[in-house]
């Protein structure tokens, strides 16, 4: 039966009218190719057959299983849908053929055959673009082929856009020329960029983007190019961490804006021209203040292109008119002067004994307290200079203070002799004593203490002396023993006085009692009166007796 239908089907092919339409499929996806055109549906199909370019793919009779006729790569990729459409899995660019569906239909008047042809178009996104045929270098003002951008295997082919620093380049006369290339494959897109570089293109990144309806963001890796241009400007630099300082080395560097940069220069050093090859710097060793002035560098082949810089060498000199050790007499004038020679205004500070002074030590009348170590520091930027002198003030000693005090126990006297003079005075006393303390000799002042226990009031002398003179002062010191004797005598006198008073009262009382016994014949009133007087006398004697005990 199947064979008869196939013969009948073949016989009717000459009478068929063919209808053709395009079908679009996506690369790698399953494509459905309908056995119809438009919205028309076919019914009462007795036999269906699919083929491409006279190559049979499959056939199906009504009520029967589909028979795959293909023997090439399609045999495992094709199948028939329920609506008689051809299903093609894993669409490839090589699948772009015209596929035909032939249907044998039963009508009221007999058998009819319909032929539906579809041109399969497979859409595919391009591969990532890349730049090839890169220029080795670009020259300013010269239109040069920068490179060619290629975006492969796309359907339809991609559109290529050139970018500079991620911004679209548009054609510009004598500056930017973009030409579409002629690729050997209809699936590949090519574009060539001709570019006239400028200085600002140094370090610029060039890339290209492939634009396609199935993909976005396809950009080639960025490329940078060497931009060559002639030197037009020089800059002369001083390589140093600080200002040029006398005694240091100073390096001059000539910086050119050309590319490639020049490697040799002329350096103009104080009227002399020095040619330096394979280097852009020149070092002046042990620079001095006399080296201050204008310096230049220039191109060897184009001396008119030059750069200049004025260099001021920093210097600082400090000189005192005094020696390290200065000796003066007390009362003299200190003639101090400081000589400063510097390239700028410096800061001056003085210290005496490590303590900062408010002003320069100019002294019209020297005192012993002016003696000590004076230190000068002068600073200017990174420079610092120091100078110092030690001042000794000499003169005859003078006692400034002579005093006595009781010690803590109150049994001894502490004598204090304080004097000024230099060299250090020798201290002596006209009495023997125990040395308690001698304050260290400081700024011409000495303090001497001794402890004594005088047995009587004394006149004590302190004598200070050095090679310039002598001074003596006297103080009266009272003894502790004389004070005690006076107190003892006072107490003894009081006691003796009380005893004498008591004796006188006793004698008076005895004489009174004797008289009373002789007059006992007197009246009772007199006796009573005498009794009252006796009581008063007894009370008086008792009081004197208590005082005597005291």
């Amino acid at each position: 039966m199947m064979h008869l239908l196939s013969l009948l089907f073949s016989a009717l092919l000459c009478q068929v009218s063919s209808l053709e339409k395009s079908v679009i499929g996506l690369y790698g996806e399953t494509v459905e190719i309908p056995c119809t055109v438009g919205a028309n549906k076919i019914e009462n199909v007795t036999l269906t057959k699919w083929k491409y370019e006279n190559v049979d793919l499959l056939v199906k009779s009504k009520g029967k299983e589909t028979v795959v006729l293909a023997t090439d790569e399609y045999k495992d990729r094709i199948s028939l849908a329920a609506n008689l459409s051809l299903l093609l899995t894993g669409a490839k660019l090589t699948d772009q053929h015209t596929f035909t569906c032939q249907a044998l239909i039963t009508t009221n008047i007999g058998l009819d055959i319909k032929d539906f042809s579809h041109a399969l178009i497979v859409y595919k996104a391009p591969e990532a673009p890349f730049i090839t045929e890169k220029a080795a270098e670009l020259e300013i003002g010269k239109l040069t082929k920068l490179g060619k951008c290629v975006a492969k295997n796309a359907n339809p082919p991609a559109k290529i856009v050139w970018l500079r620093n991620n911004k679209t380049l548009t054609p510009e006369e004598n500056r930017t020329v973009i030409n579409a290339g002629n690729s050997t494959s209809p699936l590949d897109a090519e574009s060539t960029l001709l570019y006239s570089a400028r200085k600002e293109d140094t370090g610029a990144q060039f890339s290209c983007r492939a634009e396609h309806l199935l993909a976005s963001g396809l950009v080639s890796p960025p490329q940078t190019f060497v931009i060559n241009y002639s030197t037009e400007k020089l800059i002369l630099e001083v390589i140093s961490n600080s200002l040029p300082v006398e005694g240091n080395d100073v390096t001059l560097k000539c910086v050119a804006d050309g590319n490639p940069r020049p490697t040799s220069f002329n350096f103009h050093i104080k009227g002399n021209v020095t040619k330096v090859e394979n280097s852009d710097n020149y070092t002046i060793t042990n620079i001095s203040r006399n080296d201050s002035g204008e310096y230049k560098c220039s191109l060897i082949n184009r001396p008119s292109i030059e750069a200049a810089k004025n260099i001021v060498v920093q210097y600082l000199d400090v000189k005192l008119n005094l020696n390290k050790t200065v000796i003066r007499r007390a009362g003299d004038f200190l003639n101090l002067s400081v000589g400063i020679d510097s390239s700028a205004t410096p800061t001056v500070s003085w210290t005496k004994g490590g303590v900062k002074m408010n002003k320069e030590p100019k002294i019209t009348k020297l005192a012993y307290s002016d003696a000590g170590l004076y230190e000068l520091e002068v600073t200017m930027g990174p420079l610092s200079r120091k100078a110092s002198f030690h001042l000794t003030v000499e003169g005859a000693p003078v006692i400034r203070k002579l005093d006595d005090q009781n010690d803590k126990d109150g049994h001894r006297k502490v004598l204090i002799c304080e004097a000024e003079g230099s060299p250090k005075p020798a201290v002596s006393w006209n009495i023997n004593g125990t040395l308690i303390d001698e304050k260290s000799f400081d700024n011409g002042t000495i303090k001497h203490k001794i402890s004594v226990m005088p047995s009587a009031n004394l006149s004590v002398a302190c004598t200070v002396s050095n090679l310039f003179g002598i001074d003596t002062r006297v103080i009266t010191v009272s003894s502790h023993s004389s004070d005690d004797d006076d107190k003892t005598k006072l107490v003894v006198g009081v006691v003796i006085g009380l005893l004498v008073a008591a004796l006188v009262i006793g004698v008076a009382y005895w004489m009174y009692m004797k008289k009373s016994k002789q007059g006992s014949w007197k009246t009772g009133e007199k006796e009573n009166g005498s009794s009252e007087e006796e009581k008063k006398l007894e009370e008086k004697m008792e009081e004197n007796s208590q005082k005597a005990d005291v």
Side-chain angles (χ1 to χ4, degrees), residues 63 71 81 99 153 163 174 211 238 368 392 417 466 476 488 520 542:
T71 58
F99 292 85
N153 297 324
L163 307 172
N174 298 325
E211 296 182 347
V238 177
Y368 294 112
T392 300
C417 186
N466 63 14
T476 301
T488 302
S520 59
E542 180 68 19

Side-chain angles (χ1 to χ4, degrees), residues 336-505:
L336 171 67
S337 65
V338 180
I340 299 177
D341 186 14
S342 60
S343 55
T345 303
T347 300
V348 180
S349 62
W350 283 92
T351 60
K352 178 179 180 288
V355 179
K356 187 174 182 179
M357 302 180 66
N358 294 326
K359 58 182 181 180
E360 183 178 297
K362 289 188 176 181
I363 307 169
T364 57
K365 187 176 182 181
L366 289 171
Y368 294 112
S369 59
D370 294 323
L373 177 63
Y374 291 84
E375 293 178 297
L376 166 68
E377 183 175 13
V378 182
T379 58
M380 186 194 70
L383 297 178
S384 177
R385 301 288 184 266
K386 293 183 179 181
S388 65
F389 66 91
H390 190 279
L391 173 63
T392 300
V393 180
E394 295 183 336
V398 177
I399 296 175
R400 298 301 183 189
K401 182 179 180 182
L402 182 60
D403 196 9
D404 69 325
Q405 300 175 356
N406 292 326
D407 64 2
K408 293 181 181 179
D409 298 333
H411 298 302
R412 301 177 68 85
K413 288 286 188 177
V414 177
L415 305 182
I416 305 170
C417 186
E418 186 173 341
E420 287 183 337
S422 182
K424 178 182 177 181
V427 182
S428 62
W429 302 83
N430 65 340
I431 62 171
N432 293 327
T434 303
L435 178 64
I436 298 176
D437 176 46
E438 180 178 289
K439 183 180 179 183
S440 60
F441 187 62
D442 184 25
N443 289 336
T445 300
I446 187 171
K447 196 172 188 180
H448 203 272
K449 293 183 181 181
I450 64 171
S451 174
V452 298
M453 184 180 288
S455 59
N457 292 343
L458 297 174
S459 292
V460 179
C462 175
T463 301
V464 292
S465 62
N466 63 14
L467 59 88
F468 291 102
I470 187 171
D471 189 22
T472 300
R473 287 183 63 174
V474 178
I475 186 173
T476 301
V477 180
S478 60
S479 66
H480 287 286
S481 59
S482 62
D483 293 342
D484 293 341
D485 290 344
D486 292 341
K487 292 178 181 178
T488 302
K489 290 176 181 179
L490 177 61
V491 173
V492 171
V494 172
V495 172
I496 294 174
L498 291 174
L499 291 175
V500 172
L503 180 61
V504 172
I505 292 173

